[in-house]
Amino acid sequence: MKGSLVAAEVYEPYAQALMSLAQDNDLVDQFGHEVNQLLELLSESQEFKQFLSNPLIKPEAKKAVIQQVVGDQANPYILNFLMLLVDRRRIGFLEGICKQYQTLLRQLKRILLAEVTSATALTDEQRESVRQKIVDMSGGQQVELDVHVDPDLIGGVIIKVGSQVFDASIRGQLRRISLALTGN
């Protein structure tokens, strides 16, 4: 409940505003690329993420670090957006806002997001095979894969597209066999 409340009150309005700005200036794809880069930065640097989220650090210091880290590469609109988030004390929500922007971008471009969990890292050929199977099942839409590795699966994959889950993992098969044998 709390996560959806934050999403509704913070992530969505800011992501919508960023999308609106992108559409007005014909920069939807460029903003999408820059949002992806911001998400990579946040996932690779816990220190940066904690720095932005720390309420004890002055806004001027946050702005200076943002300018140093992303200033030269970022579109001026993105940089201004980041500064606005600092001014409004919403920069700690940057990751959620960026993910919500990605969701809006996928909706705009009619791209499905498939969360794929496998026992081992997938090769490019396996990724393409999974992508093609999802395209075939979904009726010809584009598919973006979000791949995770979970060694507990033993083998196989679990694919989640929207609310549908396709469990082709060995762990899932063993669980189904166990349920069949116990009669539950």
Side-chain angles (χ1 to χ4, degrees):
M1 173 76 180
K2 184 179 179 187
S4 63
L5 186 62
V6 170
E9 292 186 7
V10 178
Y11 300 164
E12 288 180 26
Y14 283 99
Q16 286 280 2
L18 189 59
M19 178 59 77
S20 178
L21 180 66
Q23 287 176 318
D24 289 347
N25 293 285
D26 198 24
L27 297 169
V28 173
D29 291 327
Q30 182 181 347
F31 279 20
H33 177 71
E34 292 191 28
V35 161
N36 289 341
Q37 288 180 321
L38 285 170
L39 284 170
E40 282 179 31
L41 176 63
L42 291 171
S43 72
E44 291 171 2
S45 176
Q46 276 304 116
E47 296 84 17
F48 182 64
K49 189 175 178 178
Q50 290 170 351
F51 175 81
L52 293 179
S53 298
N54 189 335
L56 301 176
I57 297 174
K58 301 263 186 246
E60 296 78 30
K62 290 181 182 182
K63 287 180 177 183
V65 169
I66 289 170
Q67 183 68 42
Q68 280 184 317
V69 173
V70 298
D72 292 339
Q73 303 112 314
N75 181 293
Y77 288 125
I78 294 286
L79 192 57
N80 287 341
F81 182 75
L82 294 173
M83 299 305 161
L84 175 76
L85 291 177
V86 171
D87 289 340
R88 299 233 174 130
R89 301 189 187 283
R90 296 289 191 247
I91 195 68
F93 297 111
L94 180 60
E95 185 175 17
I97 293 167
C98 288
K99 287 181 179 180
Q100 184 64 33
Y101 181 87
Q102 286 180 321
T103 300
L104 294 172
L105 184 60
R106 281 188 213 102
Q107 289 172 352
L108 182 69
K109 294 183 165 261
R110 299 178 191 267
I111 297 173
L112 288 177
L113 175 64
E115 296 175 30
V116 179
T117 306
S118 64
T120 60
L122 298 177
T123 65
D124 289 340
E125 184 178 301
Q126 290 169 324
R127 284 175 183 258
E128 192 52 42
S129 175
V130 168
R131 181 179 285 114
Q132 191 56 49
K133 285 184 185 199
I134 296 169
V135 165
D136 293 344
M137 290 181 340
S138 66
Q141 297 180 0
Q142 289 183 337
V143 175
E144 183 178 311
L145 299 181
D146 183 15
V147 181
H148 305 282
V149 175
D150 180 2
D152 292 341
L153 292 181
I154 306 169
V157 295
I158 298 175
I159 301 169
K160 181 179 178 200
V161 180
S163 61
Q164 294 182 328
V165 178
F166 305 97
D167 188 347
S169 67
I170 292 176
R171 182 179 69 188
Q173 291 173 7
L174 290 172
R175 186 175 50 244
R176 288 189 291 277
I177 291 170
S178 172
L179 288 173
L181 291 175
T182 59
N184 289 334

